[in-house]
Amino acid sequence: MQLLSSVPADDETAAKGRWLAAWLVAEADPGTAADLLARSWPQAVLSGDDATAGHIAHVQGLLALYAGDPRAAAGHFAEAVCLVPPGTPSGPSPAVSLAAQALCEAAFAHTTAARTAHRVLAHPDFRDDAWAVLTARYVQAYVDHCHGRGGRARTRARRALALLDSTAPEPLGAQALRVLVTDLDAGRPHEPRPTALLSCAAAAPGGTPVDSAPATTTGV
């Protein structure tokens, strides 16, 4: 924050620094994060910086989710997917934003969430993003569970966990799948924790690559 104060307000670096600072404090200090985004947005738009504008939209999605509005959050994440160019070297990738969109949609539109999750798994540029892939598979399994397809949900979740590379550190987000399987096996209701999963994405949006086998389209 102190470094940002020394950079001219109209400097492109300041806009990038502010959205990044907002991303890092979004959960702990949403008011400061919102202020940082409001100051970053005009510069990103005026300079035609789609990547920064998209990253601002992603953080706005986080703020909406932390405020308890998954519908608004999904809209912001969808905007981020459209704005951030593929291959942008830093910040939340389009894969992460799309998986976050699916996760939020699971709270109010199951069929839409499953379709968005499938978009993550079907996109060739997204399959190496471990967090996005695991989150998309989690959303698909959760939707199956909500529609009374417990056996299929269990199979989806276990298949996703089986694809993990046992010789590498477990990607962030795998725990959500494990909890879902445990709840299904115990016959307990399961509620997603999107804020916890998205905090994982903020900590390490790329994660560790997982098996890039094509996603199943059956029933999606």
Side-chain angles (χ1 to χ4, degrees):
M1 298 291 187
Q2 292 178 340
L3 288 175
L4 287 175
S5 64
S6 66
V7 179
D10 60 351
D11 189 283
E12 182 179 345
T13 305
K16 294 179 184 297
R18 288 193 183 100
W19 84 254
L20 178 57
W23 189 30
L24 295 175
V25 304
E27 186 170 13
D29 191 351
T32 296
D35 178 66
L36 287 165
L37 295 180
R39 294 163 62 193
S40 302
W41 177 256
Q43 181 61 25
V45 172
L46 289 173
S47 63
D49 187 346
D50 287 344
T52 295
H55 290 151
I56 290 170
H58 183 95
V59 181
Q60 287 173 327
L62 288 177
L63 292 176
L65 186 61
Y66 294 146
D69 191 347
R71 191 179 297 271
H76 288 303
F77 290 131
E79 183 180 8
V81 173
C82 293
L83 286 171
V84 178
T88 298
S90 60
S93 67
V96 165
S97 296
L98 189 61
Q101 178 186 339
L103 189 60
C104 292
E105 289 169 343
F108 62 88
H110 292 160
T111 300
T112 301
R115 289 172 179 164
T116 303
H118 175 65
R119 287 172 58 197
V120 176
L121 300 175
H123 198 299
D125 292 340
F126 292 174
R127 294 177 189 167
D128 286 336
D129 191 304
W131 183 87
V133 167
L134 284 175
T135 298
R137 287 175 171 156
Y138 167 77
V139 169
Q140 288 184 326
Y142 172 69
V143 169
D144 280 336
H145 165 61
C146 290
H147 288 181
R149 300 188 291 262
R152 182 172 173 180
R154 189 180 292 104
T155 298
R156 274 193 191 274
R158 286 177 172 162
R159 184 184 300 159
L161 291 168
L163 290 172
L164 297 176
D165 183 352
S166 61
T167 65
E170 183 169 275
L172 297 169
Q175 183 61 21
L177 283 163
R178 298 193 188 282
V179 171
L180 175 59
V181 170
T182 299
D183 287 345
L184 288 170
D185 288 343
R188 291 192 298 261
H190 178 82
E191 290 296 332
R193 296 180 59 203
T195 55
L197 274 168
L198 287 168
S199 293
C200 289
T208 303
V210 295
D211 192 297
S212 58
T216 177
T217 59
T218 307
V220 173

